Amino acid sequence: MHIAEIRERLRTAGAAPIHEQYLLREWSQGETFPSRRKPEEFLPRALRTILPQLKADLAALVALRSVHPSQDGSERLLLGLRDGQTIESVLLPREGLCVSTQVGCAVGCVFCMTGRSGLIRQIGSAEIVAQVVLGRQRRPVRRVVFMGMGEPAHNLDAVLEAIDLLGTGGAIGHKNLVFSTVGDLRVFERLPKSTVKPALALSLHTTDAALREQLLPRAPRITPENLVAMGDDYARRTGYPIQYQWTLLEGINDGPAELDGIVRLLKGRYAVLNLIPFNAIDELPFRRPTWERAREMARELHRRGVLTKLRQSAGQDVEGGCGQLRARSANRVAGPGAQSLSAIGTRAAGHAPGAADQAQR
Ligand SMILES: C[S@@+](CC[C@H](N)C(=O)[O-])C[C@H]1O[C@@H](n2cnc3c(N)ncnc32)[C@H](O)[C@@H]1O
Ligand code: SF4
């Protein structure tokens, strides 16, 4: 479901713009409407009559299947969609939430579990916001990163519609909405024109164009140089630094030639380079470099003028790689650290009545 369909239902029931804004704001902020903030009489009678069904439909958009708490304070959530597909969201430390934008992904990055299935289906803008609503029933959420399953550029209308609502009614600061992409011309055209301009994370991974084509086989053929030039332009327009994502693969993109390439491309830019050691996946042949090697790379890049952060992806101990939980649930095997909803007894369990049954299977 898309947000435009919700607006249409509200308008058909006689909602004026002020009512529409109010109801969408309450929903996206995780409040039940009508809330204590406004008396129900504030809404026209015809509109009030459709609210119970609308509430039920919105609550059913994503259902919590299982929760995987990690020692780092993150919580990976396996969510069911109405057609039975599953996706992942991750509650991050410091009030962040990572959401999925597609079921599967067509880019097919060779180190990513999600890329292995190809694209299964798009996620609607309302389903994206519903992930935030569900996350907010468990913890406060003030930062939303579009770094879960899927390539946001391949579902651009829906992702921008969700970003617009989260950044206007949803009480998320614009620079706390982080659009992560392999890079696509449509992104550089559309984002600068949108009312809510998110921060941009570019998944670069290598400065060698030929290697990038191998690692990201169906990413648009934009050279690393051009990607950085377009990133720079967006950083100037928004005033936010670009985040460059670099999944560290031992023996592939962790050598001295890449360090020289990074310095050549990123030195002096308004940017942060995030080095993220590869999150091991059984089925894949890649390895992560040692933590010591990763630290050495970060130190050298820093010394040579590139602002570099070494990061662990959240939830390492609980299938931290994007798409692993979904793959495991498709094989119907419980992951490490998984808690069924009945064991946790959260408010979110109330949000998704059918989910507890499914989690216990
Ligand atoms: C899952 S993608 C989703 C957003 C978008 N499709 C992209 O690639 O930027 C988010 C980030 O996860 C990283 N990633 C995917 N698989 C990984 C793995 N096994 N270990 C570490 N990072 C991984 C990607 O490189 C990317 O930077
Ligand atoms: S890393 Fe991103 S673009 Fe690549 S396959 Fe995974 S989700 Fe798709």
Side-chain angles (χ1 to χ4, degrees), residues 105-109 111-115 148-151 182 205 216 322:
C105 179
V107 181
C109 300
F111 47 79
C112 175
M113 195 69 187
T114 299
M149 297 166 53
E151 169 50 50
V182 294
H205 308 309
L216 289 61
C322 154

Side-chain angles (χ1 to χ4, degrees), residues 171-238:
I172 309 277
H174 298 190
K175 67 175 179 198
N176 287 335
L177 291 157
V178 184
F179 187 109
S180 178
T181 174
V182 294
D184 189 301
L185 294 181
R186 289 167 293 188
V187 167
F188 295 107
E189 263 168 42
R190 298 273 303 273
L191 258 55
K193 293 184 192 149
S194 52
T195 315
V196 177
K197 294 179 187 50
L200 190 60
L202 292 175
S203 289
L204 187 60
H205 308 309
T206 174
T207 58
D208 173 339
L211 175 61
R212 197 163 187 274
E213 288 183 15
Q214 286 174 26
L215 295 177
L216 289 61
R218 286 180 291 284
R221 297 284 184 255
I222 304 174
T223 61
E225 287 76 9
N226 284 340
L227 210 49
V228 170
M230 287 188 272
D232 243 16
D233 183 49
Y234 189 71
R236 261 195 305 274
R237 287 168 186 241
T238 56

